[in-house]
Amino acid sequence: MSIINLPSFVQLGQCAGKILRLSTRAISVKARTNPLEKPKTGILMLNMGGPTSVSQVYGYLLRIMTDRDMIQLPIQSQLGPWIAKRRTPEVQKKYSEIGGGSPILEWTNKQGELLCKKLDQLSPETAPHKYYVAFRYVDPLTEDALNEIEEDGVEHTIIFSQYPQYSCATSGSSFNAIHAFYKNRELPKNMKWSIIDRWATHPLFVKTIAQRIKDELAHFPDDKRKDVMILFSAHSLPLKAVNRGDPYPSEVGATVQLVMQELQFCNPYSLVWQSKVGPLPWLAPFTDDALKGYVKQGRKNFILVPVAFVNEHIETLHEMDIEYCQDLAEELGIENIRRSAAPNDHPLFIDALTDIVVNHLRSKQSINPKFLTRCPHCVNKNCGQSKQWFAEICRS
């Protein structure tokens, strides 16, 4: 795989040879803006985040396992901490194997810096722009970012989800966390709010993924290139969430279709799902099972494509690179397997983020009607209250 403009690398085996990644040193949530300039427009970048060190793993898992928007467990207040504690050593080992922590914070900071630099140039009337990282389960947490926005006296806050495809378990949980923060406190006075909640089909996002695939296809021998199976892999979802009407699977599918259209349907392809947790039924086929199935059908060459992740993190660097491209590939006798890089700081992707925000700033629509629409079988009362609250603050 190819990742550009990175300062360090680690060896991750057969998947992609040398995989370059950012170090996991701590970086402040604060953007690198002129401290004398008061930011006019704040870009609140939502994501689930990842621990930058093994010492953060337990707290990260604890927040996930006790978040009912993400996962529903019986007696969750007791079972959640128990599962988090039980899983911590295993997950710590995985982070140790990719360099000691997740690079998602550094990637998000890099993306935010490049985004705001371009926004200042393209939209001077809304400048200066400043980004704020709002992670759901690890520092910098959503509440810390919101506190900083208030301290800075931002005039317009754009809540910009970094999940391209919307899911109630990920995007929804991050939005609900903002609503929960303001349940018992006053909103900042004279601040405008607006939301970018999904962008699965943005043309430049699609072109970024397509280009990442082209970069990997170029490494295959000429006589095998057209036979390479492209497996788009996204985080799976419990079937009960799918059956409630969660839009995530269809939005991921839309991204895949447009990427292959951009590639002129040059290769066989399939959409598969990874990262299942627990015994309940989840959306399938799973990535590892799909590899096994295609090998049985005689396929020998593969590219794995992270289609729902905008940064390198544990599910690309460990699950895809080590567990699938290295260990499973060796077990199955796969001839060639590569993994395309996440969007990271690819120039096309930075242009995509910029275009999304610029178009939003110039639009008269501060909130997407689809965002305000609950799943047809939604049972989450917090979801209904949250959406109603956002409808009110984004109209004011």
Side-chain angles (χ1 to χ4, degrees), residues 27-91:
I27 284 186
S28 168
V29 63
K30 294 182 182 294
R32 290 161 178 77
T33 56
N34 186 336
L36 300 179
E37 280 191 293
K38 176 183 174 182
K40 185 174 183 179
T41 306
I43 314 296
L44 185 63
M45 301 175 75
L46 306 183
N47 211 325
M48 70 185 298
T52 57
S53 67
V54 293
S55 63
Q56 290 184 325
V57 168
Y58 173 70
Y60 172 73
L61 292 176
L62 179 64
R63 290 187 179 99
I64 291 176
M65 292 298 168
T66 53
D67 176 15
R68 291 194 64 80
D69 290 329
M70 170 61 78
I71 188 169
Q72 294 84 44
L73 300 168
I75 54 170
Q76 189 149 352
S77 61
Q78 299 174 44
L79 190 56
W82 181 83
I83 294 174
K85 185 176 181 179
R86 185 171 177 268
R87 291 196 63 200
T88 291
E90 174 192 354
V91 176

Side-chain angles (χ1 to χ4, degrees), residues 8-27:
S8 62
F9 69 86
V10 293
Q11 183 71 31
L12 287 177
Q14 295 176 358
C15 174
K18 292 179 179 179
I19 295 176
L20 303 184
R21 64 182 294 271
L22 292 169
S23 66
T24 54
R25 61 183 175 81
I27 284 186

